[in-house]
Amino acid sequence: MAVDGSARLTVLTVLSGPSGVGKSTVVAHLRAAHPEVWQSVSATTRKPRPGETHGVEYFFITDDEFDRLIAAGELLEWAEFAGHRYGTPRQPVEDRLARGEAVLLEIDLQGARQIRAVMPEALLVFLRPPSWDELVRRLVGRGTEPAEVVAERLATAKIELAAEPEFDVTLVNTSVQDVAHELVALMRPTTT
Ligand code: 5GP
């Protein structure tokens, strides 16, 4: 990690890993204990799942609105995932990094690669399931997506798992508490 003049970028942490691995649960747990860690709210063209609220889990927007954000350069990174687009609004992230505040992005592999390219000092953390069977169980068990969407996400997960060596650190999601604890330790000293 950089400790020189570019050190402010080290407060950016990217959490990635296959869909269904439990990234959101880990982040929710971490933020309950460390509200000073700010999580970016992504824009997506996917429809909300039951219980999801515009502006909380995501900004749920139309394809046209997403096109506009890309054209205006307002996304720090974006990717197409399982038939929908997801992107990180640039300005809120840059504002917080400029103030030296800890920023957490929970994004897919393609997005993590883009962040690596534009912000090389970012810490890239890969969250891995304890086993392939466990990932299948979680994705199927979520019960929020039709079978073909689950199948597509599993196919993508195989590709994503193979990218683990590209990351700075791997955490294995055996326990939400343990992983949240390990993740916050990696984000120090900015969270102490
Ligand atoms: P889900 O539809 O399950 O909420 O998210 C699908 C995938 O998109 C997850 O792997 C999630 O981490 C990723 N994702 C969420 N927001 C973003 C984003 O802003 N950019 C990118 N590249 N991926 C995202």
Side-chain angles (χ1 to χ4, degrees):
M1 261 190 255
V3 289
D4 55 15
S6 62
R8 69 184 178 84
L9 292 180
T10 63
V11 300
L12 178 64
T13 304
V14 174
L15 182 67
S16 198
S19 171
V21 73
K23 299 185 292 283
S24 311
T25 313
V26 167
V27 169
H29 198 84
L30 183 153
R31 293 192 61 235
H34 293 274
E36 74 277 16
V37 175
W38 178 78
Q39 185 190 11
S40 165
V41 178
S42 298
T44 183
T45 59
R46 148 164 104 58
K47 296 282 168 279
R49 294 185 185 126
E52 288 183 332
T53 308
H54 182 76
V56 178
E57 288 83 6
Y58 287 105
F59 296 107
F60 297 98
I61 64 174
T62 63
D63 265 311
D64 285 351
E65 287 166 334
F66 206 97
D67 286 341
R68 195 196 63 74
L69 290 180
I70 296 171
E74 289 181 23
L75 297 178
L76 189 57
E77 60 75 35
W78 69 272
E80 185 157 340
F81 186 94
H84 299 288
R85 289 183 292 173
Y86 299 78
T88 304
R90 178 190 299 279
Q91 197 63 52
V93 172
E94 291 188 344
D95 288 350
R96 281 170 178 82
L97 291 178
R99 295 201 294 265
E101 295 174 12
V103 169
L104 184 59
L105 303 184
E106 187 231 294
I107 59 178
D108 85 326
L109 169 65
Q110 307 164 72
R113 285 177 173 151
Q114 291 172 51
I115 296 295
R116 172 70 94 207
V118 295
M119 295 180 167
E121 291 88 349
L123 179 70
L124 265 56
V125 181
F126 190 82
L127 188 61
R128 185 156 61 81
S131 67
W132 173 254
D133 287 352
E134 178 63 19
L135 186 66
V136 173
R137 199 184 63 74
R138 288 186 200 194
L139 260 178
V140 174
R142 190 148 79 183
T144 50
E145 268 94 16
E148 63 272 18
V149 172
V150 172
E152 187 180 356
R153 283 178 179 240
L154 282 172
T156 304
K158 280 218 168 92
I159 298 166
E160 293 186 310
L161 283 171
E164 181 189 329
E166 296 176 33
F167 286 74
D168 298 312
V169 187
T170 292
L171 301 177
V172 182
N173 194 7
T174 43
S175 132
V176 172
Q177 286 82 354
D178 289 354
V179 170
H181 190 75
E182 288 162 9
L183 185 56
V184 94
L186 288 170
M187 296 177 80
R188 282 175 184 169
T190 51
T191 56
T192 50

